[in-house]
Amino acid sequence: MDLNMMTRRIADDDWSVINAIQNEAYTEIAPESQDTLRRRVLLSPETCFVAVGHNGSVLGCCLAHPWGPDGAPALHAKLEALPVTTNLYLHDLAVSSNSRGRGVAGFLCQGLLAVAVERNFQSVTLVSVQNSAGFWKKFGFSEDPRVNPSDSYGAGARFMRLDLNAGR
């Protein structure tokens, strides 16, 4: 892991890099528009952030927001409001192709889990795409076959959850 990383909230001038990361990362599904992603950040800025390197360059991004524990909003959905819930939904975690293999994704995931605990969420859910379920399992997520993600997430998408109270 690159120990010269830190997280910070997303700034307006980060969006061109975030868009580039989205286009690099998502090869099997259509990346969401900047407006769609910005809306999620506006609705829950405290659970959305970027990882930056020692020189301040954006290495990856993490966008999460409260959402009910038994489903996920379809990709490209224009959210107007968020529910009051004890579940945090990890909407997007993506890393620049130049930063892959440096531990950025794990760093972002650990940062998100710390934020979830700090903000008293009881669970975190996500939809794994592009055969990423193995990565999420390393952080304690498990597949929940009772929930079928929207077709917008592509073939092979898996709904996953992590109970944050399990180890307490």
Side-chain angles (χ1 to χ4, degrees), residues 42-85:
L42 287 171
L43 290 169
S44 189
E46 64 280 355
T47 58
C48 298
F49 48 89
V50 291
V52 295
H54 69 280
N55 63 356
S57 62
V58 174
L59 308 174
C61 61
C62 179
L63 286 76
H65 57 77
W67 198 257
D70 295 317
L75 288 180
H76 312 284
K78 306 286 188 206
L79 301 183
E80 297 300 322
L82 298 174
V84 175
T85 179

Side-chain angles (χ1 to χ4, degrees), residues 64-143:
H65 57 77
W67 198 257
D70 295 317
L75 288 180
H76 312 284
K78 306 286 188 206
L79 301 183
E80 297 300 322
L82 298 174
V84 175
T85 179
T86 59
N87 182 69
L88 183 62
Y89 175 69
L90 173 53
H91 179 76
D92 185 42
L93 190 149
V95 175
S96 163
S97 60
N98 296 337
S99 301
R100 293 198 184 121
R102 295 174 48 194
V104 177
F107 180 75
L108 285 166
C109 185
Q110 289 170 341
L112 178 69
L113 296 178
V115 167
V117 169
E118 175 185 300
R119 297 194 157 280
N120 296 313
F121 286 100
Q122 294 179 12
S123 58
V124 179
T125 55
L126 60 87
V127 175
S128 90
V129 298
Q130 300 182 171
N131 298 309
S132 62
F135 171 80
W136 299 112
K137 287 178 181 178
K138 290 188 241 178
F139 293 92
F141 286 88
S142 59
E143 293 182 36

